């Protein structure tokens, strides 16, 4: 047999696993995740986002919300988003991009808590550990490396567990 499996949003499911964030879980299992996230980031209701009368604008907001979600999930900061993919809607304003990031974390507060803890653990303990026991260690932490370490600290738990999940599924 030859088959193709798509673990859609697997790394976001890993964020839910680590955080236990009920809102994140509902968005992933009961709603369209990107629509719910766009509603939170751009101050709309889920109903407004799914109303056919708003289809074009809602689609654009949903599209832009992905840059915030995945950018932040992998350690991008406001300046990077404001100067990059969100430049058209932020006008290059780091403050405006930060507001979108803040709204993402307000939508998923328990994910924000775990995300911040990963960064603290990396800088204070020099390591982050996945729920399967895989460790990412930093032996040297200097001021020049802090941003890179923080990015790695938030990438590692989700990507590692997602990868291990895929590998274990393949083995089974």
């Amino acid at each position: 047999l030859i088959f193709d499996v798509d673990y859609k949003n697997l790394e976001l499911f890993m964020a839910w696993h680590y955080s236990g964030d009920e809102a994140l879980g509902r968005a992933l299992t009961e709603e369209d995740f990107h629509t719910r996230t766009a509603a939170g980031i751009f101050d709309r209701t889920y109903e407004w986002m799914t109303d056919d009368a708003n289809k074009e604008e809602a689609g654009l907001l949903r599209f832009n919300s992905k840059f915030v979600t995945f950018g932040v999930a992998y350690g991008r900061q406001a300046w990077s988003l404001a100067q990059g993919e969100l430049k058209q809607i932020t006008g290059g304003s780091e403050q405006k991009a930060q507001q979108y990031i803040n709204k993402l974390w307000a939508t998923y507060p328990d994910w924000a808590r775990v995300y911040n803890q990963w960064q603290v653990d990396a800088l204070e303990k020099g390591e982050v550990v996945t729920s399967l026991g895989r460790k990412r260690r930093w032996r040297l932490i200097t001021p020049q490396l802090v941003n890179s370490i923080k990015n790695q600290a938030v990438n590692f738990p989700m990507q590692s567990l997602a990868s291990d999940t895929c590998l274990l599924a393949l083995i089974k």
Side-chain angles (χ1 to χ4, degrees):
L1 294 175
I2 297 174
F3 59 93
D4 180 27
V5 177
D6 178 11
Y7 283 102
K8 188 176 181 180
N9 295 330
L10 181 58
E11 290 166 351
L12 295 170
F13 276 89
M14 296 304 129
W16 177 31
H17 161 76
Y18 283 112
S19 68
D21 191 304
E22 291 183 20
L24 180 58
R26 278 192 308 278
L28 287 166
T29 62
E30 298 173 19
E31 300 172 317
D32 176 77
F33 172 78
H34 296 295
T35 300
R36 166 56 64 201
T37 303
I41 291 171
F42 298 110
D43 294 323
R44 301 293 198 279
T45 64
Y46 190 79
E47 294 70 28
W48 184 93
M49 290 291 297
T50 56
D51 187 333
D52 282 342
N54 307 315
K55 191 173 187 171
E56 189 173 326
E57 184 180 354
L60 184 58
L61 295 176
R62 186 180 183 279
F63 176 77
N64 284 320
S65 76
K66 291 179 182 185
F67 295 121
V68 177
T69 301
F70 291 113
V72 169
Y74 296 111
R76 289 187 68 191
Q77 297 174 356
W79 183 86
S80 177
L81 289 171
Q83 298 304 312
E85 295 85 356
L86 297 183
K87 190 167 188 168
Q88 187 174 3
I89 63 171
T90 64
S93 167
E94 183 177 352
Q95 183 178 15
K96 185 73 170 172
Q98 186 61 53
Q99 289 173 354
Y100 294 143
I101 293 170
N102 293 346
K103 288 177 184 175
L104 172 72
W105 291 139
T107 303
Y108 306 118
D110 290 326
W111 180 18
R113 177 188 45 76
V114 169
Y115 179 98
N116 290 324
Q117 189 60 54
W118 288 331
Q119 292 179 332
V120 168
D121 289 348
L123 296 175
E124 292 182 0
K125 298 177 183 177
E127 73 178 23
V128 175
V129 182
T130 71
S131 56
L132 293 179
R134 188 180 299 268
K135 294 181 180 181
R136 171 63 173 99
R137 295 182 176 102
W138 295 270
R139 301 277 186 222
L140 176 66
I141 300 173
T142 66
Q144 296 82 6
L145 295 176
V146 167
N147 282 338
S148 175
I149 291 169
K150 288 169 108 177
N151 285 350
Q152 292 173 49
V154 297
N155 285 319
F156 173 74
M158 293 187 307
Q159 287 182 331
S160 178
L161 188 56
S163 175
D164 287 348
T165 299
C166 288
L167 183 58
L168 291 170
L170 178 64
I171 291 168
K172 279 190 173 190

